[in-house]
Amino acid sequence: MKEREKVLNLRRREMVETLKLYGIVNHRVLNAFLEVPRHLFFDADAVGSAYNDGAYPVGFGQTISQPYTVAFMTSLLVERCSSGKVLEIGTGSGYQAAILDALGYSVYTVERIFELYERAEKLFSRLRLNITCRFGDGTLGWMEEAPFDGIVVTAGAPKEPGSLLQQLAEKGCMVIPVGNSDSQQMTVFQRKGNDFIKERFQHFTFVPLIGKEGWNDSVFLPHF
Ligand code: SAM
């Protein structure tokens, strides 16, 4: 193995040790973080930042989320819905989708910025990942592929989109940060018939979920 690969593998193991220190305990999740080379989701000149525990710009004003944030959201999903069909809203770099794929979910992902959608689709194909992507407004979900056992929204929403709740399967759960433009509370909705059991967790700061059932593009006003 080349020296560069050895260093990146070591840094990935260190990243996983940091996740453990921060309280991520789910072994399946930790193994997925070991398995997926995060640096492949970075531009060549930014690979040195791939294993820092921070968010990083991916262009177009968007970010690849901090590893801890991805691990926290993924753990909430895995502990409630351990297998099946999952919809991710906000493909971005494609890293979260690749983590879900490594966990054995059947993954669908939607991105509203065409250049990011196109870049992620090419990367999934190059890495031979069986992830289905779509360009569009993810606040409306993916009706043709519903119902989903899990939905993970990786941008901050002013309110849970009703269309996404309606596309959850029975016992399916949605992990979504909900709040204002500065701070959002990680929230889980689990479907029980026509009801949704809601759990709230810690606060994070995400880029906005922009769309028909999210924030308004120009002024960040919610439109419902
Ligand atoms: N999951 C990504 C990753 O692993 O790199 C990080 C996501 S980034 C924090 C949030 C993404 O959500 C951005 O790429 C943004 O363009 C996208 N986004 C925002 N609103 C959206 C919408 N209505 N539908 C689809 N994607 C949306």
Side-chain angles (χ1 to χ4, degrees):
M1 190 187 294
K2 286 187 193 142
E3 197 53 37
R4 179 179 174 276
E5 288 303 309
K6 278 190 196 160
V7 171
L8 290 169
N9 287 346
L10 175 64
R11 296 223 45 215
R12 188 154 66 254
R13 286 201 294 277
E14 287 169 354
M15 176 186 76
V16 170
E17 290 308 312
T18 304
L19 292 176
K20 288 184 193 167
L21 287 177
Y22 287 173
I24 302 297
V25 292
N26 187 292
H27 285 288
R28 285 183 61 206
V29 173
L30 292 168
N31 283 338
F33 275 76
L34 278 177
E35 198 179 307
V36 178
R38 191 168 190 260
H39 63 272
L40 298 182
F41 298 82
F42 281 64
D43 285 340
D45 60 353
V47 160
S49 301
Y51 294 106
N52 299 343
D53 191 42
Y56 197 85
V58 292
F60 310 94
Q62 307 304 319
T63 54
I64 176 170
S65 302
Q66 180 184 9
Y68 172 70
T69 307
V70 179
F72 187 80
M73 295 181 80
T74 308
S75 299
L76 290 175
L77 178 76
V78 167
E79 285 155 12
R80 288 160 184 76
C81 326
S82 59
S83 62
K85 197 170 177 180
V86 168
L87 174 66
E88 180 202 23
I89 308 303
T91 315
S93 69
Y95 179 66
Q96 168 80 78
I99 290 284
L100 295 170
D101 176 74
L103 281 157
Y105 293 107
S106 172
V107 184
Y108 293 77
T109 180
V110 184
E111 172 56 55
R112 69 175 282 277
I113 296 177
F114 185 77
E115 290 83 350
L116 293 178
Y117 150 78
E118 208 179 24
R119 191 162 77 191
E121 192 184 43
K122 281 188 187 140
L123 184 58
F124 295 149
S125 157
R126 185 156 61 81
L127 300 177
R128 298 181 192 280
L129 299 179
N130 189 18
I131 295 171
T132 313
C133 340
R134 175 153 119 170
F135 163 61
D137 178 5
T139 66
L140 303 176
W142 195 326
M143 191 58 106
E144 302 84 338
E145 292 295 343
F148 296 98
D149 301 291
I151 298 179
V152 178
V153 181
T154 66
K159 187 179 187 294
E160 62 283 5
S163 296
L164 294 182
L165 288 176
Q166 291 312 322
Q167 291 177 30
L168 279 176
E170 179 62 17
K171 293 190 182 154
C173 65
M174 172 161 78
V175 183
I176 178 169
V178 179
N180 59 36
S181 53
D182 296 328
S183 171
Q184 304 90 37
Q185 188 164 27
M186 197 57 72
T187 310
V188 174
F189 293 86
Q190 184 148 29
R191 185 167 205 157
K192 294 270 155 68
N194 285 329
D195 293 329
F196 297 91
I197 296 167
K198 184 172 175 179
E199 297 170 90
R200 289 197 178 97
F201 299 89
Q202 67 203 63
H203 285 78
F204 293 83
T205 302
F206 280 82
V207 294
L209 179 75
I210 293 172
K212 201 152 190 236
E213 295 188 40
W215 294 97
N216 183 303
D217 197 357
S218 51
V219 281
F220 288 172
L221 289 173
H223 41 164
F224 303 121

